[in-house]
Amino acid sequence: MINKLLSVIVFVAFVMQVSSCTCSRTKSNTDEFDIPDSIRNTSLKVSDNVMQEMVGNISSPIEMASLIKSLGVPFSQKYLATTKNVSTYNTSYAKAFNLGIFGADLGFLNMYGKTSMVLDYITAMKNLADGINVGQFFDFSTLKRLATNNQNIDSLVYISQQSFNKMDKYLQKNNRGNLSILMVSGVWMEGLYLSCQFYKETHNTRLAESIGEQKILLNQLLIILKNYQSEKYIADLISDLEPLKKIYEDIRITIEKGEPQAVEVDGMLTIVQTETSTVHYTEEQMNDLVVQSEVIRSKLIK
């Protein structure tokens, strides 16, 4: 039993370390993994290193919005989650998940410089953060001041990210990893949803590749979420995400290694292994992901 448990922990750590949303990918035949039933309900504490890797690997809201903007896609508010539902999120689980949703939307607004709309979202996030007792890490007054000044977009982005990261670290440190992974799940879900919506409008190949690459991160999310599946909200979330996983099963990601390159890092010569990832998908699969992401996201933000 101990050997099996150690094997699972080592595997989870390995999965978290080998995937990066911007520069490192893993082959699709290695990202399928089910936690054995014998340990699923033991509520193992996920190590700080694993959670930090997990959070680091999730595409940041700013990164996702930057990609969409770089493709020349015009801003549209119609895809963002409404802040009018905040008062209906009456459990810590719903508050944590939707805090992640709004965090992704805030990144989108920041990237497009829509400071006039930012105030609604930082107000909603402050209310949700207070609801799970992490509001002390949300620099509301500074964010509110910056939101009224178009010249401080970079500072607004930085402080927004810092506030989110501090909340996440606090939750992990205080044995509230269930809420931490729900925040991360919210960020991921909204990022996928927004990418799918803009893909539906543009059918852009780069967006399709980014959506396909989320297969890796979805499997990572499910590994961590299943550790908390004895909690009903999380068990329901896992069930909601399973149809997405089913669609992703037929999307393949392959890696082709290139020639090593010599680069200078901090004044020292370093050898870097280059590689190219290729996402193999069909138009039908992309359309299925668009539809399913709409269904799941709509249910979760009600």
Side-chain angles (χ1 to χ4, degrees), residues 40-70:
R40 272 183 173 173
N41 296 319
T42 56
S43 296
L44 299 174
K45 183 182 184 299
V46 181
S47 75
D48 291 341
N49 288 338
V50 169
M51 278 303 301
Q52 287 170 11
E53 289 288 341
M54 181 79 235
V55 174
N57 285 341
I58 296 295
S59 297
S60 78
I62 299 301
E63 189 174 297
M64 176 274 299
S66 178
L67 170 61
I68 292 173
K69 186 179 180 183
S70 71

Side-chain angles (χ1 to χ4, degrees), residues 92-123:
S92 59
Y93 300 108
K95 289 174 183 177
F97 183 85
N98 284 281
L99 183 56
I101 291 281
F102 289 139
D105 287 342
L106 180 62
F108 187 79
L109 290 169
N110 285 341
M111 181 54 61
Y112 275 86
K114 301 297 180 180
T115 52
S116 61
M117 301 178 188
V118 164
L119 188 56
D120 278 345
Y121 284 83
I122 61 175
T123 300

Side-chain angles (χ1 to χ4, degrees), residues 4-20:
K4 181 184 291 187
L5 179 58
L6 288 174
S7 296
V8 171
I9 294 173
V10 169
F11 182 85
V12 172
F14 172 75
V15 171
M16 299 308 170
Q17 292 168 358
V18 299
S19 172
S20 169

Side-chain angles (χ1 to χ4, degrees), residues 206-222:
R206 180 64 193 95
L207 268 179
E209 292 173 348
S210 178
I211 292 168
E213 289 166 353
Q214 299 309 304
K215 171 179 182 175
I216 299 170
L217 297 178
L218 174 58
N219 283 320
Q220 292 179 357
L221 276 175
L222 287 171

